[in-house]
Amino acid sequence: MGFKIKHLLDWARHFFYSCDPRATVMIGVTYFCQCKCSHCAMAKYPKDKERELNRKELLEIINKFSKKKIKGVYFFGGEPLLRKDIFELIDCASKRGFKTMLDTNGYLLNRQMARDLKKAGLERIGVSIDSPYSKIHNSLRGIENSFEKAIEGIKNCLAEKIYCYLSVYATKENLKNGDLKKIISLGKKMGVGGIKIIPSLPLGKWQNAKEIELNLQEKQLLRRFRQLGFIELENDWCPVFKKKLFYISPYGEIQPCCYLPFNFGNVRKEPLENILRRMWKHPMFNMKIKKECPVINKDFQNKYLSKITISTKLPLDL
């Protein structure tokens, strides 16, 4: 199949998937990770193995999802492949008829891991690539050989016929020096399904770092990349404010998404539907957020994100 036809079909599948009125639920299964990324959005959350939702709790949560309201289950971290029960969780979601997705740093993604993920029913996997150069990627990730293991992991997933995409942060630097284009070229050369580009967000280790936010010209450049038909520009539209995505933290807290550190209740204490109903009635969801991510919306920053300081315990209860 020709390159253009393949990615036109990918775009069509994504379009019809996004038109589905049901929501996708992101489940953070752990905050632990081997990496120490300079841009980590989860870095400010406390790591406590004892507080994590256990296997029984997570299976019970997934089994209670309504197929009339939920279309996909997206496993997130930290690093989700650190969970020994991740295959059982994916298998449960897959057998319930939900689309299954997972994001990983790729460090543990050997051939056997890829086979087991495929057998469990994983449909889509995103592997993070921060630079087209091994030395820079490893430095940004804070761990040796992470680039080599991620590249090998991508090859393993493609060999096992799992839809694989690269997850990339767009920064002022990699836009200016051409490294983002080189990552896109790398993905095309490897034969991945696409590239998910995440604009720099002032969260986690970048909290309050307004200088990392892309300017209008840089945002326009990213949108031109998307016209290639190979690029999915994360945060170009916000599914959260369309009530098409929500996040369950590793400790059971319900947040609008993994990037919005606000807690509306805990599934250990009350039914999920009650929490979602309360969350979606919050004034936050009445804000006139355009297509951009609320994290980089000035009004949202002033009204909500400004409440978060260095000492704030996350997620902040609303």
Side-chain angles (χ1 to χ4, degrees):
M1 183 184 296
F3 178 83
K4 290 185 178 180
I5 296 176
K6 177 182 183 298
H7 293 295
L8 180 61
L9 291 174
D10 289 339
W11 177 88
R13 282 193 289 268
H14 175 73
F15 174 79
F16 287 112
Y17 185 72
S18 64
C19 289
D20 193 319
R22 297 173 294 169
T24 294
V25 53
M26 296 183 73
I27 302 180
V29 293
T30 185
Y31 283 129
F32 286 92
C33 181
Q34 312 95 320
C35 298
K36 300 175 180 64
C37 300
S38 58
H39 58 269
C40 182
M42 301 291 110
K44 299 293 184 179
Y45 290 90
K47 296 178 176 64
D48 185 344
K49 201 74 176 175
E50 297 301 315
R51 289 179 60 196
E52 287 182 359
L53 293 167
N54 60 39
R55 166 187 163 278
K56 182 179 178 181
E57 289 174 312
L58 284 167
L59 290 175
E60 185 175 332
I61 288 169
I62 294 170
N63 278 317
K64 285 184 178 179
F65 290 154
S66 167
K67 284 181 281 187
K68 292 182 179 180
K69 297 180 180 180
I70 302 297
K71 64 182 175 184
V73 180
Y74 188 163
F75 296 98
F76 201 70
E79 174 48 52
L81 296 185
L82 287 172
R83 290 277 304 226
K84 301 299 183 183
D85 55 6
I86 191 64
F87 309 111
E88 191 173 357
L89 301 177
I90 294 169
D91 179 72
C92 177
S94 178
K95 286 180 177 176
R96 290 288 320 283
F98 301 119
K99 299 288 184 181
T100 53
M101 299 157 277
L102 182 146
D103 269 6
T104 176
N105 57 40
Y107 199 80
L108 298 175
L109 205 48
N110 57 35
R111 189 61 183 269
Q112 188 58 53
M113 175 70 77
R115 287 195 188 104
D116 291 342
L117 290 171
K118 177 68 174 181
K119 184 179 179 181
L122 186 68
E123 297 179 47
R124 292 171 63 98
I125 189 166
V127 181
S128 296
I129 296 292
D130 298 334
S131 169
Y133 305 109
S134 170
K135 186 175 181 179
I136 297 176
H137 174 97
N138 293 343
S139 175
L140 292 171
R141 291 266 145 185
I143 184 171
E144 292 184 3
N145 298 321
S146 58
F147 181 83
E148 292 78 7
K149 287 181 178 291
I151 294 299
E152 188 62 31
I154 292 165
K155 293 177 180 178
N156 291 333
C157 288
L158 293 174
E160 294 299 325
K161 309 299 182 185
I162 302 174
Y163 181 96
C164 184
Y165 60 89
L166 305 189
S167 182
V168 186
Y169 263 93
T171 66
K172 290 179 177 293
E173 184 178 8
N174 66 19
L175 280 167
K176 185 177 180 179
N177 64 19
D179 281 359
L180 183 58
K181 282 187 177 181
K182 291 177 182 177
I183 295 175
I184 294 171
S185 297
L186 173 65
K188 288 181 177 179
K189 184 177 180 180
M190 294 187 70
V192 300
I195 311 285
K196 181 173 75 172
I197 300 179
I198 308 168
S200 300
L201 299 173
L203 295 170
K205 290 186 178 179
W206 282 345
Q207 183 179 334
N208 299 324
K210 300 292 181 67
E211 68 276 7
I212 60 103
E213 294 183 38
L214 304 183
N215 60 35
L216 180 60
Q217 184 178 6
E218 290 160 341
K219 291 177 182 177
Q220 289 173 340
L221 177 58
L222 281 183
R223 291 192 174 95
R224 287 199 293 272
F225 281 158
R226 191 182 62 177
Q227 293 171 2
L228 298 173
F230 185 62
I231 308 298
E232 178 183 337
L233 184 55
E234 178 119 323
N235 303 326
D236 194 37
W237 67 284
C238 183
V240 170
F241 280 74
K242 294 179 181 295
K243 302 177 182 178
K244 295 181 68 175
L245 184 141
F246 64 92
Y247 175 69
I248 302 176
S249 85
Y251 308 145
E253 297 126 337
I254 302 302
Q255 300 171 215
C257 82
C258 61
Y259 298 130
L260 295 179
F262 302 111
N263 174 36
F264 286 88
N266 195 300
V267 290
R268 281 175 164 150
K269 297 179 180 179
E270 60 181 312
L272 174 62
E273 288 196 1
N274 292 356
I275 304 173
L276 291 177
R277 193 178 302 115
R278 179 170 62 248
M279 180 175 75
W280 285 333
K281 285 182 179 180
H282 191 274
M284 176 188 297
F285 288 84
N286 294 327
M287 293 189 70
K288 302 300 181 182
I289 304 293
K290 296 181 180 179
K291 291 184 177 181
E292 66 184 356
C293 172
V295 174
I296 54 177
N297 177 276
K298 301 305 178 185
D299 290 337
F300 192 89
Q301 287 178 348
N302 293 334
K303 190 164 186 178
Y304 293 105
L305 293 178
S306 61
K307 298 178 181 180
I308 298 172
T309 66
I310 297 298
S311 61
T312 301
K313 182 180 177 181
L314 298 181
L316 178 66
D317 288 338
L318 287 185

